Amino acid sequence: MTQHIETLIIGAGQAGLSAGHHLRKLGRECLIVDGNERIGDNWRCHYDSLALFTPGKANGLDGVPFPGDPAHFPSKDEFAEYLELYAVAQDLPVRMQTRVDRLRPAERDGHDGFVATLGAEEITCDNVVVATGTFGRTPQTPPFARDLAPGIQQLHSSAYRNPAQLADGPALVVGASHSGLDIAYELAATRPTTLVGPDRGNVPLDWASHRIQVVFPLIEFAFNHVLTRRTPMGRKTMRQLRHHGAPQLRVKRHHLAERDVEWVTEHITGVTAGLPRLADGRTFDVASVVWATGFRQAYDWIDVPLPVQDGWPVEYRGVVGSVPGFYFCGLAFQYCFASGEVNGVGRDAAYIARKITARMGTRTLSPV
C-alpha cells in the first residue's frame, strides 16, 4: 500500500509535534510518524530522576501552556503526559508504532520528493522533516569498553534507570555533561562514586533557589537571542555543545563534593588489566561503569545524499540546502542554545514550516 502526504514528519517528540502544529497553522498537510508505542515515550525511557532544566512556564509548546505551577520543574513523565495532551488538544495527525525503515528519493516522473518505507508500506512525500532527537539516539561508547573485565557491570546512560540496577561497590561514571553529573550525584548517595570527564563550565546559579525564577527570563533571553548561529559567541558555543557537552546547570561541582564524589577532569583512554585507565596510567577498581558518553547521529537509514560533517548534517536552521524538501527539526543548536529546550523548539519549527510553505507555493498535491 502506498500513501502520499505533502510533508512527512519523522518523530513525535516536542520538535515533531511543534512542526506539525505550525504546518497545520499555515494550512499545509502533514503526517507525523513515530516508532514508539505512545507519544512521550522518548521521555519516559530516561532515568527515573530526570527533570527538565526549565520551569513549567517555559515548557509549553505553541498553543497549549504547560499545566500546573509555572515555577515547577517537571519530571520526565510529567512532560511526556503533556506531549500526549498537546497532540490531542491540537488534533495533530500522529501515527504511533510506525517506524521508518528507509528513506530514499522519489525520482518519480521527474518529480522531486521522497519515499519512506515502513515495513510493507510506503509513504511518498514532497517534503520530509527529520525530528528524531536533539543529539541522535544511537548510544556511543568507546571501542575499548569491550576490554573491561567481565566482572565489571557496564551500562550506557540510556539504559540507566536508578541505582538499584548497579552491582554493590564503587561506581565510575564516564562523561561529565548533564546526564553524567545527574547520575554521579544520584549514585554517590549509596556507594563510592568517581566521575571522569572534562569540566565544561558552569552556569553560576542554584537551580533549587528562588533566585533562578527571578533571573530565568534573562537566561532565556541569552539562550534565545545572544547565543545564536549568527554571533561569534554563539557559534563557539555551538561547537562546544555539539561535540563536547553542556555546562553544569542543576548539579554542580559543590553538589558532587557534598557527596564525596571525586571528579577527575580527564578522559578514560583505555584499559589495563581489565580496569578503566587514564592517560597517566591510573586505573579504577570499580564494580560498575556508567558510560554517560552521549549519542551519535545515525543516518544509515537515509538513502538521500545527505551532506554530513563531523557527524552532523550540513544545514542551516534545519534546512538542508543541497537536498530540496529535506529538513531537520529539534537538532542541538539548530539556531540557538535554546533550540535544545522546549521553549526554543517552536521558533525552529515555525521557521521550517514557513520554508516548506514557500517551497510548495500554490502547488497541488502530487499524484501517487
Side-chain angles (χ1 to χ4, degrees):
M1 183 176 71
T2 300
Q3 174 186 4
H4 183 83
I5 198 79
E6 184 176 277
T7 299
L8 178 67
I9 301 170
I10 304 173
Q14 63 268 22
L17 296 178
S18 188
H21 163 76
H22 283 284
L23 281 168
R24 293 282 293 274
K25 187 177 178 181
L26 293 174
R28 308 312 304 189
E29 180 193 48
C30 66
L31 174 66
I32 306 167
V33 297
D34 193 293
N36 287 314
E37 183 175 344
R38 293 173 59 191
I39 293 173
D41 279 354
N42 56 319
W43 282 89
R44 294 184 185 92
C45 68
H46 292 295
Y47 49 95
D48 297 344
S49 61
L50 178 63
L52 275 68
F53 291 104
T54 46
K57 61 186 176 183
N59 291 328
L61 297 174
D62 295 308
V64 181
F66 194 87
D69 182 357
H72 170 62
F73 289 89
S75 70
K76 65 183 181 73
D77 294 322
E78 289 172 327
F79 188 67
E81 296 298 317
Y82 167 76
L83 290 180
E84 283 192 312
L85 166 69
Y86 185 81
V88 172
Q90 296 294 303
D91 192 26
L92 294 176
V94 181
R95 282 177 50 182
M96 301 304 292
Q97 301 183 61
T98 305
R99 179 183 177 86
V100 175
D101 300 313
R102 310 297 301 178
L103 183 69
R104 60 179 174 82
E107 299 174 350
R108 184 180 62 250
D109 298 326
H111 173 68
D112 56 0
F114 309 93
V115 178
T117 303
L118 311 90
E121 182 184 359
E122 286 188 343
I123 294 178
T124 63
C125 58
D126 299 292
N127 311 283
V128 65
V129 179
V130 177
T132 51
T134 303
F135 286 97
R137 301 310 307 163
T138 301
Q140 185 168 259
T141 56
F144 54 75
R146 61 178 178 267
D147 299 326
L148 289 182
I152 297 177
Q153 181 185 7
Q154 298 187 60
L155 278 180
H156 188 268
S157 58
S158 60
Y160 172 83
R161 297 293 175 266
N162 55 62
Q165 286 177 282
L166 300 190
D168 293 336
L172 177 69
V173 179
V174 181
S177 194
H178 291 157
S179 60
L181 293 165
D182 281 355
I183 294 169
Y185 181 73
E186 182 171 70
L187 290 176
T190 57
R191 69 203 68 214
T193 302
T194 302
L195 174 67
V196 174
D199 185 337
R200 301 302 181 185
N202 170 33
V203 176
L205 290 166
D206 186 346
W207 247 243
S209 71
H210 174 70
R211 187 182 175 203
I212 190 68
Q213 302 292 340
V214 176
V215 302
F216 191 79
L218 296 177
I219 296 173
E220 286 306 293
F221 180 84
F223 284 1
N224 276 281
H225 303 290
V226 179
L227 298 178
T228 77
R229 292 171 74 160
R230 292 183 175 181
T231 68
M233 183 185 302
R235 290 190 291 272
K236 179 180 178 180
T237 303
M238 175 182 171
R239 290 190 294 271
Q240 170 77 17
L241 180 67
R242 284 192 169 188
H243 297 289
H244 302 292
Q248 302 158 53
L249 294 178
R250 181 176 291 113
V251 175
K252 304 182 189 296
R253 182 177 287 276
H254 71 271
H255 294 120
L256 298 174
E258 289 167 3
R259 291 192 174 179
D260 296 322
V261 175
E262 180 187 9
W263 185 353
V264 181
T265 56
E266 300 177 36
H267 290 284
I268 297 293
T269 60
V271 174
T272 296
L275 302 178
R277 182 196 71 233
L278 300 176
D280 64 7
R282 179 184 173 185
T283 59
F284 298 89
D285 189 3
V286 293
S288 57
V289 175
V290 178
W291 297 104
T293 42
F295 301 83
R296 62 178 175 84
Q297 301 285 358
Y299 300 126
D300 53 345
W301 55 280
I302 298 176
D303 293 331
V304 175
L306 179 67
V308 176
Q309 183 177 351
D310 297 329
W312 288 84
V314 177
E315 47 71 43
Y316 183 72
R317 299 193 69 172
V319 179
V320 181
S322 62
V323 185
F326 200 108
Y327 307 89
F328 285 91
C329 193
L331 290 176
F333 229 103
Q334 183 157 316
Y335 174 65
C336 62
F337 191 98
S339 291
E341 301 174 350
V342 180
N343 67 353
V345 76
R347 176 170 61 179
D348 293 339
Y351 181 84
I352 292 299
R354 291 194 300 270
K355 289 293 185 181
I356 290 173
T357 300
R359 177 174 186 265
M360 299 309 296
T362 58
R363 187 190 307 182
T364 57
L365 295 183
S366 304
V368 176

